[in-house]
Amino acid sequence: MLKIALATFALVAHVGAFAQATPASLWKTIDDDSNREKSLVRITDNGGVLTGKIEKLLDPATKQDAVCDKCPDERQGKPILGLTILRNLKQNADDKAWWDGGDVTDPDNGKIYRARVRPIEGGKKLQMRGYIGPFYRTQTWIRVE
């Protein structure tokens, strides 16, 4: 009986850890230069494709009605609040810890980076990496829910 209870506990603990290993959640973004909280981004999973939208602006220096003036695509002039900044990420077939193949946009400068994300620290944090050519920036986002 004890073996069954231990096996059940191990299975439940494993499933709980796997559920937290997805990037689909609400994340607090932290600027990698200033270490200031910038926004809350909700990442959703739509059929295995991740998308992230800015749900709340946290930086008091950012106006709540600010628009993405520097975005080079259809998002130019759109409000930053509600802006889709993370698009088309899929789980990497070779390394299941990473989601990649899409892009992330920095609304401050309008630059679009190739993106890679992976949950770290048991899903409590998200490593967000944006690439332009061989150069990259890495941020660590904190899970809110």
Side-chain angles (χ1 to χ4, degrees):
M1 190 66 155
L2 180 61
K3 287 182 183 180
I4 293 172
L6 289 173
T8 302
F9 175 76
L11 179 63
V12 169
H14 178 72
V15 169
F18 180 75
Q20 290 298 316
T22 177
S25 189
L26 183 64
W27 299 93
K28 183 186 306 180
T29 68
I30 310 294
D31 184 84
D32 50 314
D33 290 328
S34 68
N35 270 347
R36 291 172 51 159
E37 297 176 350
K38 297 224 18 155
S39 63
L40 295 181
V41 173
R42 179 156 320 265
I43 298 177
T44 56
D45 183 336
N46 299 306
V49 179
L50 300 180
T51 302
K53 290 185 178 187
I54 297 176
E55 196 167 278
K56 185 175 184 179
L57 299 171
L58 302 175
D59 186 351
T62 304
K63 295 180 182 176
Q64 293 297 310
D65 61 350
V67 296
C68 193
D69 288 329
K70 297 179 181 177
C71 287
D73 55 18
E74 73 281 356
R75 296 171 289 180
Q76 184 175 25
K78 302 286 186 202
I80 292 176
L81 192 59
L83 191 72
T84 299
I85 62 165
L86 187 64
R87 304 182 296 185
N88 301 317
L89 290 174
K90 297 177 185 167
Q91 193 166 30
N92 186 296
D94 297 326
D95 185 349
K96 299 284 187 196
W98 288 96
W99 279 258
D100 53 23
D103 59 62
V104 62
T105 301
D106 183 342
D108 290 338
N109 61 24
K111 289 185 180 176
I112 299 174
Y113 302 88
R114 287 181 303 128
R116 265 189 115 182
V117 301
R118 73 174 175 165
I120 57 175
E121 296 183 24
K124 294 177 186 175
K125 295 182 179 180
L126 184 73
Q127 185 178 54
M128 162 60 67
R129 185 165 285 173
Y131 296 86
I132 291 182
F135 305 103
Y136 64 89
R137 284 174 53 185
T138 301
Q139 293 182 343
T140 302
W141 295 1
I142 300 167
R143 186 183 295 269
V144 175
E145 60 179 45

